[in-house]
Amino acid sequence: MEKFTTLTAVAAPMDRPNIDTDQLLPARFLRRPRDEGFGDVLFIDQRQNDDGTPNPDFVLNQDAYKDARIIVADRNFGGGSSREGAPWALLDYGIRCVVASSFGDIFYNNSLKNGLLPVRLSDDDVKAIRQQLHDKPGATLTVDLDAQTLTAPDGGIHSFDIEPFRKQSLLKGLDDVGMTLEREEDIAAFENGYRERRPWLFADA
Amino acid sequence: MSDKTLFEKIWSDHEVLTTEDGFTLLYIGRHLAHDGSGHAFGFLEKRGLKVRRPELTFATPDHGVPTTSHKVDDITDPVQKRAVTTLTRNAAKHNVTLFDLGDPRQGIVHVVGPEQGITLPGQTMVCGDSHTSTHGALGALAFGIGASDVFHVLATQTTWQRKPNKMRITVDGERPFGVTAKDIILAIIAHIGANGAARHVVEYAGAAIRALSIEERLTVCNMSIEAGARAGMIAPDDTTFAYVEGRPYAPKGKHWEMALDHWRTLPTEADATFDRDVTLDASTFAPMVTWGTSPEDALPVTGTVPDPANESDPERRRAMQETLDYIGLAPGTKLEDVPVDQVFIGSCTNSRIEDLRAAAEIAKLGKAKVPAMISPGSTAVKLQAEEEGLDEVFRKAGFDWRQSGCSMCVGMNGDLVASGKRCASTSNRNFPGRQGKGARTHLMSPAMAAAAALTGHFTDVRELARKG
Ligand code: SF4
């Protein structure tokens, strides 16, 4: 996983609530191998017209946002399916941080495991920040993970919460499995007790 | 503090350890895999790791399988074919139980789990699929995870989780004639919103929930994710135990008695408290349809398409207008006047035998005016329906009787809704593009979908059923 420390980058506003994972990455691309990348199909059905030409109305296609690495959305970003292709598509496209007032829980977890930082702010804050981005297209935000702050174009500083466990993994670029395997003794001890308490789960049909 | 809720009791029973900052390593009692699990198995192999507890993983192909034939050679899309054959190979290689194409136990993973007795009360359960919430209907703690987490579960049989908050949704009263489990859950989502239960595990309670059959409970819990919930669950009771007993993978003999003793201790105590409580009255419910592109956009079928002009917030007004542009409906249109181009009955929400019986009851009343397709949730459901003669009922009414799979719920197998076409669907997501690029999806119950097939527009199934 790629580390996340600080990021200053152009932010693109997306006003619609409920930007779900099917919009982020339509199901027809789900079976692509991970190393083929998903950046070219992020939001594909909105980015492109039916004839394959770019849709000029779509925010990421506009000149001011062509270097966007942050998205500021509304509520329930990434709701829907568990497809990890959704954060992969964002990352492969170049997005490292999404700001919203709420996220789909599974999307939120998947993002953290891949180096994409989801930042939760209040409804009013995301709205105000989007307004600033609309007023000054191409404006940048600064996200400092260690300090847990986001600096808006107007200089306003917003603090955000993140699990300490996840924060450390992101700062260091660690994945879970290595860490968990070091707990093998704990898992084995638990498993022995569990097997005794709930033997039917391990019995063959 | 001792655990008082169903959720907390199961959580504690599976807690391997909790770090100082409150992250829990949770043991997983059952993992379900499907043809979308290829990434996770791939990560495992890349790291040179093995499946830690192969006997706790069960697999079946569903997402990309054709509904016209269950022969691997008949899968025309090479990408989907590779996903299905990769599952076969991974299951063999890692010694995982597989219900492959051609096996009568194959089906949509969330239909197969309960059906085979793999889903049991009191256990933790995960699957690389968001509708894993379905299994909570039996009193399990079941939730969807992404590919990295599936890899983690395969390698360690555990997952790292922060303990979610607790929410109780109580549905009191008795549901009126014509109101199904699908209408109950759509009414709940319309009430609390598509992210109304985010970061919470929901327990459904109350008289109207208790009165549901297990299959109906599965429908309710299935769509918990459409309210943003981490999981949905219903306390196990005698209805649950009667359902589980005797299923192929359910405990037997001495183990059955042991399990039952444990399961009876699981229900939430009377003095338990929740972080959030929502109460609804089932007697006010009506058959529902969605009008927009989020499951929260649901209304009684007797309603009208809402008007963005009534929305005071300009951003919301714009979002609503975009929704109506996509779905192709004008404000103020009576929902019962909305014509449909096609009908889909299937998906892990509504494809079990009771769903098919309910649809058949309506199908008996006439002939389909628009193409209508039925994909049973599992091969076992299909065989049972055929034994009951339901396939004949459907064929006579002009419905297309198919094989089991996810089918038009997600369209990965090629069962797609064309751009601009309107589909009455018993599935769970009406997102833009869900059933195909530009497809317009309207969610409803199997009886309502069958009714729409007969009339060619959204129809109040109560009227149709009364007329007989
Ligand atoms: S039927 Fe639909 S919602 Fe259910 S598992 Fe398959 S694709 Fe997902």
Side-chain angles (χ1 to χ4, degrees):
Chain A
M1 170 167 98
E2 208 183 317
K3 281 185 202 173
F4 192 109
T5 49
T6 61
L7 173 69
T8 297
V10 172
M14 292 192 162
D15 299 335
R16 273 175 69 92
N18 300 323
I19 293 180
D20 56 70
T21 52
D22 280 81
Q23 295 179 51
L24 285 160
L25 180 71
R28 59 188 187 274
F29 303 109
L30 291 185
R31 298 295 176 256
R32 242 192 214 190
R34 175 69 190 101
D35 43 19
E36 280 179 23
F38 291 82
D40 59 325
V41 287
L42 172 74
F43 284 121
I44 188 68
D45 289 343
Q46 298 172 30
R47 254 162 80 189
Q48 283 186 359
N49 297 316
D50 285 343
D51 60 3
T53 55
N55 167 13
D57 294 335
F58 187 66
V59 61
L60 294 177
N61 287 342
Q62 293 165 7
D63 264 355
Y65 303 112
K66 68 179 189 313
D67 297 324
R69 304 198 69 197
I70 301 172
I71 287 173
V72 183
D74 192 68
R75 74 181 165 91
N76 199 27
F77 188 93
S81 95
S82 62
R83 62 190 67 168
E84 204 155 310
W88 293 341
L90 286 161
L91 280 166
D92 294 354
Y93 179 87
I95 304 292
R96 288 300 309 276
C97 173
V98 180
V99 185
S101 59
S102 62
F103 289 91
D105 283 346
I106 309 177
F107 173 85
Y108 186 89
N109 282 333
N110 288 343
S111 298
L112 289 168
K113 290 187 181 212
N114 286 281
L116 175 72
L117 177 66
V119 170
R120 236 184 325 248
L121 296 180
S122 72
D123 275 315
D124 290 344
D125 283 347
V126 292
K127 208 171 161 184
I129 296 170
R130 284 202 314 268
Q131 193 53 56
Q132 294 171 36
L133 298 173
H134 284 301
D135 292 346
K136 238 177 105 194
T140 61
L141 301 183
T142 295
V143 184
D144 182 336
L145 175 58
D146 194 34
Q148 295 180 220
T149 57
L150 178 148
T151 310
D154 68 354
I157 294 181
H158 306 265
S159 300
F160 60 88
D161 282 335
I162 181 167
E163 296 291 346
F165 181 93
R166 291 286 166 223
K167 175 174 165 180
Q168 287 312 317
S169 310
L170 273 174
L171 285 170
K172 295 182 192 135
L174 298 174
D175 82 359
D176 293 0
V177 173
M179 254 177 334
T180 310
L181 290 172
E182 287 173 18
R183 308 281 200 162
E184 172 53 33
E185 269 181 37
D186 293 312
I187 298 173
F190 173 89
E191 200 168 55
N192 286 335
Y194 184 66
R195 213 183 242 280
E196 249 168 61
R197 288 200 305 283
R198 317 284 174 233
W200 60 86
L201 288 177
F202 294 83
D204 281 326
Chain B
M1 199 188 70
S2 67
D3 297 317
K4 299 262 190 205
T5 64
L6 169 65
F7 158 63
E8 290 163 302
K9 291 177 194 187
I10 300 175
W11 181 275
S12 297
D13 196 38
H14 293 82
E15 212 171 320
V16 175
L17 60 94
T18 296
T19 64
E20 268 171 28
D21 47 34
F23 240 57
T24 296
L25 190 62
L26 202 65
Y27 195 79
I28 297 306
R30 288 279 186 266
H31 165 232
L32 301 177
H34 54 86
D35 47 332
S37 304
H39 286 124
F41 278 104
F43 296 156
L44 190 78
E45 277 173 27
K46 219 173 184 175
R47 286 279 281 269
L49 294 168
K50 290 197 309 197
V51 178
R52 183 189 162 86
R53 284 278 154 247
E55 71 272 37
L56 302 185
T57 289
F58 296 80
T60 189
D62 53 7
H63 283 71
V65 307
T67 50
T68 43
S69 154
H70 268 182
K71 291 204 190 76
V72 178
D73 287 341
D74 291 341
I75 308 181
T76 48
D77 179 348
V79 173
Q80 298 305 333
K81 188 172 188 167
R82 188 182 60 203
V84 170
T85 54
T86 302
L87 180 68
T88 310
R89 207 187 52 232
N90 280 329
K93 182 165 175 192
H94 295 282
N95 228 349
V96 162
T97 305
L98 172 70
F99 310 135
D100 212 346
L101 284 183
D103 188 313
R105 298 167 297 181
Q106 174 278 341
I108 305 173
V109 73
H110 309 308
V111 174
V112 168
E115 191 170 83
Q116 295 300 324
I118 295 162
T119 310
L120 297 172
Q123 75 189 7
T124 49
M125 188 163 194
V126 294
C127 172
D129 188 278
S130 58
H131 290 96
T132 309
S133 61
T134 311
H135 307 266
L138 295 175
L141 174 60
F143 50 90
I145 54 178
S148 296
D149 262 336
V150 172
F151 159 45
H152 192 280
V153 169
L154 287 171
T156 70
Q157 202 57 38
T158 62
T159 177
W160 287 101
Q161 300 287 329
R162 146 84 53 189
K163 197 173 186 174
N165 297 325
K166 301 171 285 174
M167 175 168 179
R168 177 166 53 195
I169 298 179
T170 305
V171 189
D172 289 326
E174 203 176 316
R175 61 184 154 137
F177 170 74
V179 172
T180 68
K182 182 66 158 284
D183 304 307
I184 293 178
I185 188 63
L186 283 174
I188 289 172
I189 298 165
H191 183 77
I192 67 173
N195 63 339
R199 302 158 81 192
H200 287 73
V201 166
V202 171
E203 178 171 346
Y204 300 95
I209 299 293
R210 283 277 135 244
L212 297 175
S213 72
I214 292 300
E215 294 198 359
E216 292 173 319
R217 294 179 191 184
L218 289 162
T219 299
V220 170
C221 288
N222 173 272
M223 289 189 70
S224 304
I225 183 73
E226 265 62 64
R230 197 74 191 92
M233 48 204 318
I234 295 174
D237 56 14
D238 288 338
T239 309
T240 319
F241 308 142
Y243 175 92
V244 171
E245 190 169 14
R247 294 196 177 258
Y249 288 87
K252 313 241 155 38
K254 176 173 94 286
H255 280 158
W256 172 256
E257 297 305 323
M258 253 182 114
L260 209 53
D261 281 346
H262 170 54
W263 296 344
R264 288 196 196 283
T265 67
L266 292 172
T268 296
E269 322 272 316
D271 60 344
T273 54
F274 287 78
D275 302 299
R276 277 183 70 201
D277 255 305
V278 171
T279 303
L280 293 163
D281 178 3
S283 68
T284 64
F285 291 172
M288 305 285 280
V289 297
T290 60
W291 56 266
T293 54
S294 164
E296 70 186 13
D297 301 335
L299 281 172
V301 61
T302 48
T304 53
V305 176
D307 191 344
N310 298 332
E311 185 58 70
S312 55
D313 180 277
E315 253 183 30
R316 287 225 193 94
R317 189 159 57 231
R318 212 177 327 124
M320 196 182 212
Q321 189 55 54
E322 277 177 36
T323 297
L324 292 184
D325 290 346
Y326 180 87
I327 209 83
L329 289 177
T333 309
K334 281 182 67 183
L335 289 170
E336 285 181 272
D337 291 340
V338 174
V340 301
D341 297 303
Q342 64 198 90
V343 171
F344 171 63
I345 298 176
S347 91
C348 56
T349 312
N350 279 129
S351 62
R352 285 165 283 266
I353 191 71
E354 291 176 13
D355 297 315
L356 302 189
R357 288 180 192 142
E361 278 306 306
I362 299 298
K364 268 183 199 156
L365 304 175
K367 274 238 175 260
K369 284 199 177 139
V370 294
M373 178 177 137
I374 306 185
S375 175
S378 70
T379 303
V381 169
K382 177 171 185 278
L383 295 173
Q384 161 103 32
E386 288 171 355
E387 215 178 281
E388 296 180 18
L390 303 184
D391 58 326
E392 270 314 302
V393 173
F394 287 125
R395 277 200 199 96
K396 246 196 218 154
F399 290 57
D400 189 3
W401 180 249
R402 297 284 186 97
Q403 308 256 16
S404 79
C406 293
S407 183
M408 207 176 273
C409 172
V410 67
M412 291 176 73
N413 70 341
D415 293 341
L416 288 162
V417 176
S419 186
K421 295 289 181 200
R422 191 178 304 290
C423 181
S425 178
T426 66
S427 55
N428 42 53
R429 289 193 172 135
N430 51 351
F431 297 164
R434 171 73 177 186
Q435 294 188 296
K437 188 175 176 181
R440 295 164 171 167
T441 302
H442 296 267
L443 307 176
M444 62 193 75
S445 72
M448 286 280 289
L454 299 192
T455 63
H457 54 84
F458 298 162
T459 299
D460 189 340
V461 68
R462 296 170 299 190
E463 299 297 319
L464 202 69
R466 274 197 201 105
K467 277 188 218 146

